[in-house]
Amino acid sequence: MMAKKQSLFIAIAPFLKGVAQIMLQENAWTGLLFLVGIFCGSLTMGLAAIFSVLVGTFTAKFFKYDEGEINSGLYGFSATLVGVALVVFFEPTIMIWLTIFIGSMLATSIQHFFIVKKIPGFTFPFILVTWGFLAVFHYFPALVTLQPQTVDVAGNSDLILFPHAIGQVIFQGSVWAGIAFFIGVLIHKPIAAVYTLIATLISAGIAYQFGEPLHDIYLGLLSYNAVLCAITFAGTKRVDFILALLSIVLSVLIMIMMRKLNLPALTFPFVAATWFSLIAKHIFQAKRQEIPQ
């Protein structure tokens, strides 16, 4: 019986890792905790996450992408985000489930392009696909039904800010979801969990200085991109902290700008800030190599 349970877990591990890779964690237990957190938000979002990661991963298998990359979950995380995002924005009608199916396949295909080209795409495939469908449904509103706007409640407490910040990475406003996500990161990479706390404080402070609404700050809406930046560069070297700090600051500034322009930011501030920081690192290293020793 124990062997059967272990075999089952090994079989589903690539799908769980696909969920975990949303926060750059290659750990099946982390992915399981992320799913638990999503289900804390709503049953529909949880089901959408499972459906989309299955579609994304099986798409990669169908096209015979690299087995090691599939088993690492690299073809599941953008698809998962597409699934969750679409049921956040729209009522889960048949049209939306069909859109999730198509979007998950598209996100996986775009992810493959970035992997083959050796470009760190991060969540950019999710962003492109979701932006695309948001644009389509904006011009053809009869095809979908928007989710009703709800008023989220947040208290002015740093203890609430932390779980909200990490929870919003996967569109979760539940404190319990944020706690589950945080534990998931902690068990795989403790230093990354520490960085998330630092990123939350720094991003919230910057947002406050720029006059962003306190309600939104404490809901984590100005911090979740910074959390992803921090996790990306989390490490024990000085350069790790410098790059994390640079990307955190940039992500908040980009997020504020996109909010002013009323654009759906999703995780674009994270991707843009991280790309900029990686380019800056590459340029700096190249300059150092040019200096005579």
mmCIF file of all heavy atoms in Angstrom, residues 45-65:
data_model
loop_
_atom_site.group_PDB
_atom_site.id
_atom_site.type_symbol
_atom_site.label_atom_id
_atom_site.label_comp_id
_atom_site.label_asym_id
_atom_site.label_seq_id
_atom_site.Cartn_x
_atom_site.Cartn_y
_atom_site.Cartn_z
ATOM 1 N N MET A 45 -11.594 28.337 -8.216
ATOM 2 C CA MET A 45 -10.204 28.664 -8.534
ATOM 3 C C MET A 45 -9.308 27.439 -8.381
ATOM 4 O O MET A 45 -8.388 27.229 -9.170
ATOM 5 C CB MET A 45 -9.712 29.811 -7.651
ATOM 6 C CG MET A 45 -10.180 31.178 -8.106
ATOM 7 S SD MET A 45 -9.353 32.537 -7.249
ATOM 8 C CE MET A 45 -10.255 32.560 -5.702
ATOM 9 N N GLY A 46 -9.577 26.640 -7.359
ATOM 10 C CA GLY A 46 -8.799 25.423 -7.161
ATOM 11 C C GLY A 46 -8.959 24.458 -8.320
ATOM 12 O O GLY A 46 -7.984 23.888 -8.809
ATOM 13 N N LEU A 47 -10.199 24.284 -8.753
ATOM 14 C CA LEU A 47 -10.465 23.390 -9.890
ATOM 15 C C LEU A 47 -9.838 23.936 -11.169
ATOM 16 O O LEU A 47 -9.311 23.168 -11.986
ATOM 17 C CB LEU A 47 -11.968 23.210 -10.075
ATOM 18 C CG LEU A 47 -12.702 22.447 -8.953
ATOM 19 C CD1 LEU A 47 -14.201 22.467 -9.189
ATOM 20 C CD2 LEU A 47 -12.185 21.011 -8.858
ATOM 21 N N ALA A 48 -9.893 25.254 -11.336
ATOM 22 C CA ALA A 48 -9.282 25.869 -12.524
ATOM 23 C C ALA A 48 -7.770 25.665 -12.516
ATOM 24 O O ALA A 48 -7.158 25.413 -13.566
ATOM 25 C CB ALA A 48 -9.610 27.353 -12.572
ATOM 26 N N ALA A 49 -7.163 25.750 -11.339
ATOM 27 C CA ALA A 49 -5.718 25.535 -11.225
ATOM 28 C C ALA A 49 -5.351 24.113 -11.613
ATOM 29 O O ALA A 49 -4.392 23.880 -12.370
ATOM 30 C CB ALA A 49 -5.251 25.842 -9.803
ATOM 31 N N ILE A 50 -6.109 23.145 -11.098
ATOM 32 C CA ILE A 50 -5.836 21.738 -11.419
ATOM 33 C C ILE A 50 -6.039 21.472 -12.907
ATOM 34 O O ILE A 50 -5.206 20.843 -13.564
ATOM 35 C CB ILE A 50 -6.743 20.812 -10.575
ATOM 36 C CG1 ILE A 50 -6.340 20.875 -9.098
ATOM 37 C CG2 ILE A 50 -6.663 19.376 -11.086
ATOM 38 C CD1 ILE A 50 -7.253 20.098 -8.177
ATOM 39 N N PHE A 51 -7.147 21.968 -13.441
ATOM 40 C CA PHE A 51 -7.457 21.747 -14.861
ATOM 41 C C PHE A 51 -6.376 22.333 -15.763
ATOM 42 O O PHE A 51 -5.884 21.676 -16.686
ATOM 43 C CB PHE A 51 -8.815 22.366 -15.187
ATOM 44 C CG PHE A 51 -9.214 22.262 -16.635
ATOM 45 C CD1 PHE A 51 -9.417 21.024 -17.229
ATOM 46 C CD2 PHE A 51 -9.390 23.402 -17.400
ATOM 47 C CE1 PHE A 51 -9.782 20.922 -18.574
ATOM 48 C CE2 PHE A 51 -9.753 23.318 -18.733
ATOM 49 C CZ PHE A 51 -9.957 22.064 -19.323
ATOM 50 N N SER A 52 -5.968 23.556 -15.464
ATOM 51 C CA SER A 52 -5.011 24.242 -16.335
ATOM 52 C C SER A 52 -3.605 23.644 -16.240
ATOM 53 O O SER A 52 -2.903 23.544 -17.253
ATOM 54 C CB SER A 52 -4.974 25.747 -16.029
ATOM 55 O OG SER A 52 -4.784 25.980 -14.646
ATOM 56 N N VAL A 53 -3.184 23.221 -15.043
ATOM 57 C CA VAL A 53 -1.858 22.610 -14.939
ATOM 58 C C VAL A 53 -1.842 21.252 -15.636
ATOM 59 O O VAL A 53 -0.825 20.847 -16.227
ATOM 60 C CB VAL A 53 -1.396 22.494 -13.473
ATOM 61 C CG1 VAL A 53 -2.115 21.366 -12.728
ATOM 62 C CG2 VAL A 53 0.120 22.277 -13.407
ATOM 63 N N LEU A 54 -2.962 20.545 -15.592
ATOM 64 C CA LEU A 54 -3.060 19.280 -16.320
ATOM 65 C C LEU A 54 -2.960 19.516 -17.827
ATOM 66 O O LEU A 54 -2.212 18.824 -18.538
ATOM 67 C CB LEU A 54 -4.374 18.579 -15.990
ATOM 68 C CG LEU A 54 -4.487 17.930 -14.606
ATOM 69 C CD1 LEU A 54 -5.914 17.443 -14.363
ATOM 70 C CD2 LEU A 54 -3.517 16.772 -14.465
ATOM 71 N N VAL A 55 -3.704 20.507 -18.319
ATOM 72 C CA VAL A 55 -3.685 20.811 -19.757
ATOM 73 C C VAL A 55 -2.285 21.240 -20.190
ATOM 74 O O VAL A 55 -1.758 20.763 -21.210
ATOM 75 C CB VAL A 55 -4.706 21.909 -20.100
ATOM 76 C CG1 VAL A 55 -4.550 22.341 -21.561
ATOM 77 C CG2 VAL A 55 -6.126 21.420 -19.859
ATOM 78 N N GLY A 56 -1.672 22.137 -19.404
ATOM 79 C CA GLY A 56 -0.341 22.624 -19.757
ATOM 80 C C GLY A 56 0.699 21.514 -19.794
ATOM 81 O O GLY A 56 1.483 21.401 -20.740
ATOM 82 N N THR A 57 0.683 20.665 -18.764
ATOM 83 C CA THR A 57 1.673 19.592 -18.682
ATOM 84 C C THR A 57 1.451 18.536 -19.751
ATOM 85 O O THR A 57 2.412 18.045 -20.378
ATOM 86 C CB THR A 57 1.638 18.953 -17.281
ATOM 87 O OG1 THR A 57 1.783 19.968 -16.278
ATOM 88 C CG2 THR A 57 2.762 17.942 -17.120
ATOM 89 N N PHE A 58 0.199 18.167 -19.986
ATOM 90 C CA PHE A 58 -0.086 17.166 -21.019
ATOM 91 C C PHE A 58 0.190 17.710 -22.423
ATOM 92 O O PHE A 58 0.545 16.950 -23.328
ATOM 93 C CB PHE A 58 -1.524 16.669 -20.912
ATOM 94 C CG PHE A 58 -1.707 15.600 -19.877
ATOM 95 C CD1 PHE A 58 -2.614 15.764 -18.841
ATOM 96 C CD2 PHE A 58 -0.962 14.428 -19.925
ATOM 97 C CE1 PHE A 58 -2.779 14.773 -17.877
ATOM 98 C CE2 PHE A 58 -1.122 13.427 -18.965
ATOM 99 C CZ PHE A 58 -2.029 13.604 -17.932
ATOM 100 N N THR A 59 0.046 19.018 -22.602
ATOM 101 C CA THR A 59 0.417 19.631 -23.883
ATOM 102 C C THR A 59 1.906 19.445 -24.140
ATOM 103 O O THR A 59 2.328 19.100 -25.249
ATOM 104 C CB THR A 59 0.069 21.135 -23.892
ATOM 105 O OG1 THR A 59 -1.344 21.303 -23.751
ATOM 106 C CG2 THR A 59 0.517 21.801 -25.189
ATOM 107 N N ALA A 60 2.705 19.674 -23.092
ATOM 108 C CA ALA A 60 4.154 19.492 -23.215
ATOM 109 C C ALA A 60 4.501 18.035 -23.521
ATOM 110 O O ALA A 60 5.382 17.745 -24.335
ATOM 111 C CB ALA A 60 4.846 19.940 -21.926
ATOM 112 N N LYS A 61 3.774 17.122 -22.880
ATOM 113 C CA LYS A 61 4.002 15.696 -23.142
ATOM 114 C C LYS A 61 3.600 15.334 -24.573
ATOM 115 O O LYS A 61 4.295 14.556 -25.248
ATOM 116 C CB LYS A 61 3.219 14.856 -22.131
ATOM 117 C CG LYS A 61 3.788 14.873 -20.706
ATOM 118 C CD LYS A 61 2.953 14.031 -19.776
ATOM 119 C CE LYS A 61 3.535 13.970 -18.386
ATOM 120 N NZ LYS A 61 4.797 13.181 -18.324
ATOM 121 N N PHE A 62 2.482 15.879 -25.022
ATOM 122 C CA PHE A 62 1.990 15.578 -26.374
ATOM 123 C C PHE A 62 2.997 16.005 -27.433
ATOM 124 O O PHE A 62 3.228 15.284 -28.425
ATOM 125 C CB PHE A 62 0.651 16.275 -26.600
ATOM 126 C CG PHE A 62 0.079 16.075 -27.980
ATOM 127 C CD1 PHE A 62 -0.603 14.905 -28.300
ATOM 128 C CD2 PHE A 62 0.235 17.040 -28.969
ATOM 129 C CE1 PHE A 62 -1.111 14.706 -29.578
ATOM 130 C CE2 PHE A 62 -0.283 16.850 -30.239
ATOM 131 C CZ PHE A 62 -0.959 15.671 -30.546
ATOM 132 N N PHE A 63 3.598 17.180 -27.223
ATOM 133 C CA PHE A 63 4.562 17.688 -28.207
ATOM 134 C C PHE A 63 5.977 17.189 -27.946
ATOM 135 O O PHE A 63 6.927 17.637 -28.587
ATOM 136 C CB PHE A 63 4.533 19.218 -28.236
ATOM 137 C CG PHE A 63 3.312 19.778 -28.914
ATOM 138 C CD1 PHE A 63 2.327 20.431 -28.176
ATOM 139 C CD2 PHE A 63 3.130 19.646 -30.281
ATOM 140 C CE1 PHE A 63 1.191 20.950 -28.797
ATOM 141 C CE2 PHE A 63 2.010 20.157 -30.907
ATOM 142 C CZ PHE A 63 1.034 20.804 -30.163
ATOM 143 N N LYS A 64 6.091 16.288 -26.964
ATOM 144 C CA LYS A 64 7.377 15.649 -26.649
ATOM 145 C C LYS A 64 8.475 16.651 -26.314
ATOM 146 O O LYS A 64 9.625 16.554 -26.780
ATOM 147 C CB LYS A 64 7.812 14.743 -27.810
ATOM 148 C CG LYS A 64 6.908 13.535 -28.025
ATOM 149 C CD LYS A 64 7.392 12.656 -29.171
ATOM 150 C CE LYS A 64 6.621 11.341 -29.237
ATOM 151 N NZ LYS A 64 5.161 11.512 -29.333
ATOM 152 N N TYR A 65 8.111 17.628 -25.472
ATOM 153 C CA TYR A 65 9.123 18.533 -24.958
ATOM 154 C C TYR A 65 10.033 17.758 -24.009
ATOM 155 O O TYR A 65 9.729 16.633 -23.617
ATOM 156 C CB TYR A 65 8.473 19.709 -24.222
ATOM 157 C CG TYR A 65 7.630 20.611 -25.106
ATOM 158 C CD1 TYR A 65 6.660 21.451 -24.549
ATOM 159 C CD2 TYR A 65 7.796 20.639 -26.485
ATOM 160 C CE1 TYR A 65 5.881 22.275 -25.341
ATOM 161 C CE2 TYR A 65 7.024 21.470 -27.289
ATOM 162 C CZ TYR A 65 6.067 22.279 -26.706
ATOM 163 O OH TYR A 65 5.293 23.095 -27.499
#
